Amino acid sequence: VAGFDTYDSCVRARDVYGGRELTVITQDYHLGRAIAICSLVGVDAVGVGDTSMLRRYPLNWFKGVSREWAANLKMEWDVFSARRPQQDPPDPSLGSAVEA
C-alpha cells in the first residue's frame, strides 16, 4: 500500500484505496498492533500471523519482537495525534478489483 510504516499503511488503505474491511497478513508478533491501528483509524480488519520467519531467520525475528514496545509507543502517538501520512490522490483501482 506504499506506506512507510504500519500506521501509514492503514490510513492509506482507508483514504487512498477506499479500504474499509481488510485482511492483514504480517509477522505474528506484529499482528496485534496492525489490527489495533486499523481499528483505531476506522478500518475493520482481521489478521493472519505468520511465524515462518522465526524458523528461517531467528535473529531478524527476535529483533522485530524486541522493537515492538517502541513501535507500540509510536503507534499511540500516531493515532492520538492523527498524524497525516504521505497521501496520494484516491486510487479507484482497489475498488474496481473488488467489484470484478
Side-chain angles (χ1 to χ4, degrees):
V1 183
F4 294 102
D5 59 23
T6 307
Y7 174 80
D8 280 11
S9 294
C10 293
V11 173
R12 287 172 50 80
R14 181 194 68 201
D15 295 349
V16 176
Y17 297 98
R20 297 292 180 247
E21 298 177 346
L22 302 174
T23 300
V24 176
I25 303 170
T26 189
Q27 289 85 13
D28 187 63
Y29 60 81
H30 175 251
L31 185 60
R33 181 165 53 89
I35 297 297
I37 292 171
C38 284
S39 176
L40 290 167
V41 300
V43 175
D44 183 20
V46 296
V48 177
D50 179 62
T51 59
S52 63
M53 194 173 99
L54 175 59
R55 293 183 300 282
R56 295 181 70 194
Y57 306 103
L59 182 58
N60 288 348
W61 176 272
F62 290 111
K63 284 180 185 177
V65 169
S66 67
R67 67 176 282 283
E68 274 300 296
W69 70 270
N72 278 298
L73 292 175
K74 181 181 179 299
M75 170 195 74
E76 290 178 17
W77 171 258
D78 289 343
V79 170
F80 295 115
S81 70
R83 178 177 65 81
R84 298 280 305 156
Q86 175 183 336
Q87 294 283 325
D88 294 331
D91 183 341
S93 62
L94 183 61
S96 299
V98 170
E99 291 172 3

